[in-house]
């Protein structure tokens, strides 16, 4: 299959779905729900095909909007390009998969709410924004998709606008999120003013030829904005409010996808493909090319934030009594691991340690999307069936909701990193590389895991304890809510059975593709 | 792929080991009870009493409390399954069946997982007594494992420096042993670590000072209070297997010598002879650490046990590991 031909459908289908939703809605509830499932299902099909195509051909797909070549009459790109390498393709697969499951789950979960035509429109737009970020090769296009994603998520966090906490969290998220987006826009404006291009690959060449202070200022703005979007400590506070307040299907997408696409993926793309390109260019042209930044320094900046995030996130998770808040802080903690892998990948750039660390980061991104989506969907089931998320009132849930609690057991074990499940391999790669890179970082990672274990064991203690009266009336949920949970749990177990195969066949090649900026650049510039 | 070598033989070996270790570990319980009875001037039960107990429990009616959930039934099975899986990684006079690079982590993980399943089973019963027992078991587990982990990683790292093909594998002890290093400092370190491992073994099999989580008299059998019939039989068998496995680890680290070489045996017969000799060593170790310790001391309070494990045993482990590692570091 030709990935180049199907790539546009990744945007066309959700766009069509979102814009036709108000019309389809006129046909009634069933039509609306069916339409949402069909649209996200088709997107999943396209996403899987795209992933398979990129993985199979080991190529980078470049798609130019409006012409055959991005170059036009000039010798530099003048059009918007989309550029998907293996890293981007993994993100596409992750987004479409979790997005589809979240929509299916919403059928049962959201049926007591009103205004659902807007809900499904927004959730498809959210997916659209994330897919756009993953496939774009243009900096301003990236900003537009980032804003689409962000605005959709502000609206979805505050979707239940009859609750005080939805509004509060939405406002908080929106105010600080807009500032973060403004940072990113300012960074893009600075780069454009300095270098006169917005295409990432061409910008990488320009940056390497002429690294300036402006570029560094822009990078600082990017890092600040994107660390906010990824929920890194000390700017994680929006996350701990937004995730509990949002409907659970949205929490699953926020925690599983938004913080990774809008934060981790964008950060890795900008740092590796745009700013880090000087090294490989110098090797090719023997000319006066420098990396625009000192990768080691930036790596250490990210590592420092990663360590703070690891400890703060996981430690705060231990003391929560609110189930979704606990999961939200745990997400912060897990973002710490991913950032740690990313930071070491930069600081040890070009060495095998760096490669392993980055592979661990990408792998953990994918795994955590599955695990955290699973856990948030379960939290949603609990809220839906019992109307509370206070852990003190949920004692003995295993008695009356056996399937749900068993899935939780799997998710919790995976997130702690127990061996037969998928979280083990990805965390192991991060532990191993951090211990080789700097043993202190390894120790910090272990401490974070100890806190994480304590947090989840606490929840398990509650779930498997003596049932209280409130819990005795609960039941396992209906099929549309249960099946996404089962699918995610099975995915976690199956991925856990082949950890090193996945790592060698998918994650390591993804890192190699990310570190091979020359291929990324020449795919657009045609070797120029 | 070599089906016979990779799948059939390991499974056959694992089943054989499982059969043998079940018999040996239950037999040891009989011997243990006999010996402790003799120390207290009693006649004691017959040697095969644990087998009678096991069969009787298997045949009794199994009562499941109203408040129990599915993990109450699953936990005994999972705990036993974990113990059986652990046999494939346990050094028993020869290199373990599934020995590979880094499998020490699997060993520690599975050993801890047995306790974890016991804890989950106990809290799933809904009984407050079991919950107290589970909390105590968790506390002891968190306190005892770091000392052992530090010591075993230090030993394996040190032995790895002597040159082995699979570093951090449980088979390492049959290539080099801790006494081979031979410097006075490492000798003292090894003695200290032997102490650490003996205390760890006592706390792992919960005798003497550490008979806390199941404390019969205080909290009515603690962890196991709600278990009866088949499930109790499975848990008792798991406990016996775990005692044998934990003692096997200590024997393999400190007394790994086999005798098959003296008789000029090779292949399977050598493994069998070594296994029998290993079992003898395990029994002697369990006599010292289990029976004698159980007969001469009572239990500590939970706070005292935690203090003891951190302030005494963990510190000893730290000192011993440093002494053992000294000439490599310096």
């Amino acid at each position: 299959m030709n990935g180049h031909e199907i790539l546009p459908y990744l945007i066309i289908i959700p766009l069509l779905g979102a814009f036709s939703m108000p019309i389809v809605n006129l046909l009634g509830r069933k039509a609306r729900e069916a339409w949402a499932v069909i649209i996200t299902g088709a997107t999943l099909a396209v996403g899987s095909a795209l992933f398979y195509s990129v993985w199979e051909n080991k190529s980078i797909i470049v798609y130019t909007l409006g012409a055959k070549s991005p170059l036009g009459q000039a010798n530099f790109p003048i059009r918007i390009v989309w550029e998907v390498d293996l890293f981007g393709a993994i993100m596409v697969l992750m987004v479409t998969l979790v997005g589809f499951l979240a929509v299916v789950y919403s059928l049962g979960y959201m049926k007591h709410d009103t205004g659902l035509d807007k809900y499904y429109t927004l959730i498809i737009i959210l997916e659209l924004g994330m897919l756009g970020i993953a496939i774009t090769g243009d900096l301003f296009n990236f900003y537009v998709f980032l804003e689409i994603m962000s605005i959709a998520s502000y609206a979805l966090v505050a979707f239940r606008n009859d609750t005080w906490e939805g509004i509060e969290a939405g406002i908080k998220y929106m105010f600080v999120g807009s500032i973060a987006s403004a940072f990113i826009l300012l960074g893009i404006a600075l780069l454009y003013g300095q270098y006169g291009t917005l295409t990432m690959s061409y910008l990488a060449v320009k940056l390497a030829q002429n690294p300036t202070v402006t570029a560094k200022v822009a990078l600082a703005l990017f890092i600040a904005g994107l660390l906010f979007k990824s929920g890194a400590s000390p700017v994680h506070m929006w996350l701990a409010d937004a995730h509990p307040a949002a409907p659970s299907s949205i929490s699953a997408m926020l925690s599983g996808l938004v913080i990774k696409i809008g934060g981790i993926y964008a950060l890795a793309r900008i740092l590796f493909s745009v700013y880090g390109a000087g090294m490989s260019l110098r090797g090719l042209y023997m000319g006066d090319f420098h990396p625009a930044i000192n990768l080691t320094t930036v790596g250490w900046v990210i590592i420092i934030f990663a360590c703070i995030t690891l400890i703060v996130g996981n430690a705060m998770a231990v003391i929560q009594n609110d189930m979704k808040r606990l999961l939200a802080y745990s997400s912060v903690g897990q973002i710490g691991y991913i950032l740690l892998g990313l930071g070491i990948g930069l600081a040890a750039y070009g060495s095998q340690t760096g490669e392993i660390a980055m592979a661990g980061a990408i792998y953990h991104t994918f795994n955590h999307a599955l695990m955290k989506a699973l856990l948030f969907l379960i939290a949603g089931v609990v809220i839906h069936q019992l109307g509370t998320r206070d852990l003190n009132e949920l004692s003995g849930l295993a008695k009356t909701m056996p399937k749900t609690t068993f899935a939780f057991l799997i998710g919790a074990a995976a997130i702690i990193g127990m061996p037969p499940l998928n979280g083990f391999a990805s965390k192991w790669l991060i532990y191993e590389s951090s211990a080789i890179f700097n043993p202190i970082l390894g120790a910090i990672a272990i401490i974070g895991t100890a806190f994480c274990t304590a947090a989840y064991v606490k929840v398990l203690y509650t779930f498997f304890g003596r049932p209280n009266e409130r819990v005795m009336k609960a039941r396992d949920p209906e099929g549309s809510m249960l099946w996404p949970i089962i699918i995610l749990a099975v995915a976690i177990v199956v991925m856990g059975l082949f950890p090193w195969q996945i790592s060698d066949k998918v994650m390591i090649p993804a890192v190699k593709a990310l570190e091979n900026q020359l291929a990324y650049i020449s795919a657009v510039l045609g070797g120029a | 792929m070599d089906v016979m070598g990779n799948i059939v033989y390991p499974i056959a070996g694992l089943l054989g080991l499982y059969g043998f270790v079940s018999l040996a570990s239950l037999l040891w319980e009989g011997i243990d009870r006999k010996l402790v009875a003799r120390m207290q001037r009693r006649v004691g039960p017959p040697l095969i009493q644990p087998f009678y107990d096991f069969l009787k429990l298997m045949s009794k009616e199994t009562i499941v409390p109203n408040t129990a959930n599915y993990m109450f039934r699953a936990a005994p099975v999972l705990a036993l399954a974990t113990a059986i899986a652990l046999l494939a990684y346990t050094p028993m006079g020869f290199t373990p069946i599934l020995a590979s690079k880094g499998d020490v982590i699997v060993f520690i993980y599975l050993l801890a997982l047995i306790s974890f399943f016991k804890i989950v089973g106990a809290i799933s019963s809904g009984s407050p007594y079991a919950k107290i027992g589970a909390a105590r078991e968790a506390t002891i587990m968190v306190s005892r494992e770091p000392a052992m982990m530090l010591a075993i990683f230090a030993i394996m790292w040190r032995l790895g420096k002597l040159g082995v093909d699979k570093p951090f594998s449980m088979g390492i002890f049959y290539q080099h042993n801790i006494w081979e290093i031979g410097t006075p400092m490492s000798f003292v370190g090894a003695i200290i670590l032997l102490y650490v491992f003996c205390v760890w073994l006592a706390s792992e099999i919960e005798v003497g000072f550490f008979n806390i989580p199941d404390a019969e008299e205080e909290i009515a059998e603690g962890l196991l209070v709600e278990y009866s019939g088949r499930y109790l039989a499975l848990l008792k068998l798991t406990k016996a297997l775990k005692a044998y496995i934990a003692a096997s680890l200590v024997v393999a680290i400190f007394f790994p010598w086999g005798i098959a070489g003296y008789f000029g045996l090779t292949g399977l017969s050598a493994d069998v002879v070594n296994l029998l000799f290993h079992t003898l060593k395990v029994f002697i170790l369990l006599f010292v650490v289990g029976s004698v310790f159980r007969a001469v001391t009572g239990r500590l309070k939970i706070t005292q046990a935690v203090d003891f494990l951190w302030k005494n045993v963990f510190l000893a482990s730290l000192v011993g590991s440093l002494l053992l590692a000294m000439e490599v570091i310096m």
Side-chain angles (χ1 to χ4, degrees), chain B residues 191-209:
Chain B
I191 297 287
I192 294 175
L193 290 185
L194 181 60
Y195 161 75
V196 170
F197 270 95
C198 285
V199 179
W200 169 77
L201 179 60
S203 66
E204 189 77 41
I205 59 179
E206 290 164 10
V207 293
F209 284 174

Side-chain angles (χ1 to χ4, degrees), chain B:
Chain B
M1 197 167 105
D2 180 10
V3 178
M4 287 302 277
N6 286 334
I7 299 172
V8 178
Y9 287 147
I11 290 177
L14 183 58
L15 289 177
L17 271 185
Y18 171 49
F20 173 77
V21 174
S22 309
L23 295 178
S25 58
L26 284 178
L27 177 68
W28 166 253
E29 254 193 60
I31 301 174
D32 170 64
R33 285 162 73 175
K34 193 85 180 167
L35 289 171
V36 173
R38 285 297 160 84
M39 290 178 209
Q40 297 164 345
R41 301 194 179 173
R42 291 185 283 121
V43 179
L47 282 183
I48 53 170
Q49 184 63 39
F51 295 92
Y52 297 142
D53 290 351
F54 183 78
L55 292 175
K56 180 166 183 185
L57 283 175
M58 287 304 272
S59 65
K60 298 275 281 186
E61 184 194 6
T62 305
I63 297 165
V64 177
N66 249 343
T67 49
N69 58 53
Y70 59 93
M71 275 315 262
F72 181 77
R73 296 151 182 270
V77 181
L78 290 171
L80 182 61
T82 312
I84 296 170
L86 185 51
L87 288 173
Y89 295 96
T90 310
M92 285 188 273
F94 44 82
T95 305
I97 302 172
L98 297 182
S100 63
K101 194 174 78 179
D103 63 10
V104 60
I105 294 173
V106 182
F107 185 90
I108 295 171
Y109 169 68
L110 289 179
L111 198 61
L113 201 60
I114 298 176
S115 300
F116 176 74
F117 280 133
K118 268 177 76 183
I119 292 170
V120 170
I123 53 174
S124 293
S125 70
S127 155
Y129 288 117
K131 204 159 187 173
I132 296 174
R136 290 182 177 189
E137 169 89 25
T139 316
I140 292 272
M141 187 168 96
V142 171
S143 312
R144 77 175 172 232
E145 300 298 349
M148 183 273 278
M149 278 155 71
L150 176 62
I152 196 168
F153 284 133
I155 291 169
M156 286 203 151
W157 172 76
R158 184 67 188 87
L159 294 183
K161 294 281 172 197
L162 301 176
V164 288
D165 46 355
K166 288 178 185 166
F168 290 93
S169 158
M170 298 304 280
I172 200 173
F173 304 117
Y174 299 112
Q175 294 180 358
H176 295 287
N177 67 57
I178 188 169
W179 311 108
E180 255 175 55
I181 305 166
T183 56
M185 223 157 27
S186 76
F187 185 78
V188 176
I191 297 287
I192 294 175
L193 290 185
L194 181 60
Y195 161 75
V196 170
F197 270 95
C198 285
V199 179
W200 169 77
L201 179 60
S203 66
E204 189 77 41
I205 59 179
E206 290 164 10
V207 293
F209 284 174
F210 305 104
N211 181 19
I212 299 168
D214 321 330
E216 299 93 15
E217 300 83 2
E218 282 172 63
I219 50 171
E221 289 276 351
L223 271 186
L224 306 178
V225 61
E226 293 290 347
Y227 277 109
S228 56
R230 280 200 308 282
Y231 297 136
L232 188 57
L234 291 185
L235 283 172
K236 296 251 178 201
L237 179 62
T238 309
K239 190 175 165 123
L241 285 178
K242 190 177 152 192
Y244 185 95
I245 289 167
S248 284
L249 175 69
V250 183
V251 167
I253 295 173
F254 293 98
F255 317 105
W257 308 284
I259 52 167
Y262 297 112
F263 301 124
L265 296 172
T266 53
L268 190 63
S269 52
D271 283 350
V272 171
V273 170
N274 277 339
L275 177 62
L276 292 175
F277 186 57
H278 174 84
T279 307
L280 181 68
K281 288 185 284 187
V282 165
F283 282 5
I284 295 172
L285 182 73
L286 282 176
F287 172 70
V288 177
V289 176
S291 313
V292 175
F293 194 49
R294 179 158 81 90
V296 300
T297 63
R299 73 172 66 94
L300 295 178
K301 287 181 193 164
I302 179 77
T303 51
Q304 291 169 328
V306 169
D307 267 9
F308 179 69
L309 285 170
W310 281 110
K311 291 181 185 162
N312 185 324
V313 181
F314 185 77
L315 270 184
S317 175
L318 199 61
V319 172
S321 302
L322 281 177
L323 285 176
L324 197 67
M326 207 59 105
E327 64 261 45
V328 178
I329 298 176
M330 293 196 330

Side-chain angles (χ1 to χ4, degrees), chain A residues 221-236:
Chain A
L221 291 167
F222 281 137
I223 291 180
L226 293 174
L227 280 181
F228 170 86
K229 294 275 178 194
S230 63
S233 211
V235 281
H236 64 280

